[in-house]
Amino acid sequence: GAGVSQTPSNKVTEKGKYVELRCDPISGHTALYWYRQSLGQGPEFLIYFQGTGAADDSGLPNDRFFAVRPEGSVSTLKIQRTERGDSAVYLCASSPTGGLNTGELFFGEGSRLTVL
Amino acid sequence: KQEVTQIPAALSVPEGENLVLNCSFTDSAIYNLQWFRQDPGKGLTSLLLIQSSQREQTSGRLNASLDKSSGRSTLYIAASQPGDSATYLCAVRTITDYKLSFGAGTTVTVRA
């Protein structure tokens, strides 16, 4: 596609529910990142994929969070047993290259998650 | 761990005035620095990318400088317009890492 696409744009759920957020990166981009942004803050790193593998998941806050990228393109961020503190905007970004040669990152519009 | 600070947190100027946004980072061993714009409720739009070997980058009314040794970057926006109202974020990537570390942003309001 022309840009990074994220769905849903808004998700309201109840505490304890399971949520999936999807990211469709720019075609051909091998590197994919998930970030989380709370109100008034800069984005915080969650996980980085190079191809199909998670090269760095050190930013995932706990084991309720998991992400996959099975075919090296679309990625899904999965959150189990959601808590109110998970409420934030989840941003996805992609880059044409990865690793230490990563250049410019292109971000999607984000998925706004609200946990009631 | 790379720490990125943006000062001021908010800025309000009359239309036509030049804008100066500051970004500082603690680890000067960077690979590149990227400036983004974020409108309310929207994602991030890349404005300028400066590689560590560069001193500045320009795009239209925007100019970003980089002083790696002092850990600073400045974004200049000439002749501001109300449409420039947004939050501007600075992000840095260190040479041993591949993830961007972000500042909290500067929220700019340009008054007509």
Side-chain angles (χ1 to χ4, degrees), chain B residues 28-101:
Chain B
S28 62
I30 67 167
Y31 184 73
N32 59 36
L33 182 147
Q34 199 166 350
W35 281 94
F36 294 89
R37 169 185 172 138
Q38 187 173 33
D39 293 290
K42 300 292 187 180
L44 278 64
T45 300
S46 179
L47 297 174
L48 291 167
L49 172 70
I50 311 177
Q51 301 295 348
S52 63
S53 58
Q54 298 175 314
R55 297 284 291 182
E56 66 177 347
Q57 276 282 14
T58 298
S59 176
R61 294 183 296 111
L62 275 61
N63 174 278
S65 66
L66 174 64
D67 184 343
K68 200 172 57 169
S69 60
S70 67
R72 293 180 186 177
S73 177
T74 302
L75 178 66
Y76 302 89
I77 303 177
S80 62
Q81 304 168 358
D84 294 329
S85 297
T87 297
Y88 292 83
L89 293 152
C90 165
V92 173
R93 192 165 79 77
T94 56
I95 60 174
T96 56
D97 206 346
Y98 33 70
K99 53 183 179 280
L100 291 179
S101 297

Side-chain angles (χ1 to χ4, degrees), chain A residues 7-75:
Chain A
T7 55
S9 55
N10 278 288
K11 175 71 176 178
V12 179
T13 191
E14 293 179 345
K15 180 175 178 293
K17 298 291 188 182
Y18 170 81
V19 167
E20 287 191 354
L21 307 175
R22 175 190 166 107
C23 172
D24 198 344
I26 293 172
S27 179
H29 281 195
T30 59
L32 185 146
Y33 302 77
W34 283 99
Y35 281 79
R36 179 167 73 172
Q37 186 176 27
S38 300
L39 193 64
Q41 304 290 321
E44 293 181 322
F45 170 79
L46 294 176
I47 187 169
Y48 156 64
F49 286 92
Q50 179 57 39
T52 60
D56 183 351
D57 63 358
S58 62
L60 296 178
N62 52 59
D63 61 6
R64 295 186 298 105
F65 288 74
F66 189 71
V68 296
R69 195 186 185 197
E71 298 178 356
S73 178
V74 171
S75 175

Side-chain angles (χ1 to χ4, degrees), chain B residues 3-25:
Chain B
E3 300 287 344
V4 182
T5 303
Q6 291 187 248
I7 295 173
L11 186 61
S12 179
V13 299
E15 184 177 3
E17 191 164 304
N18 296 332
L19 287 164
V20 180
L21 308 179
N22 297 301
C23 171
S24 63
F25 45 94

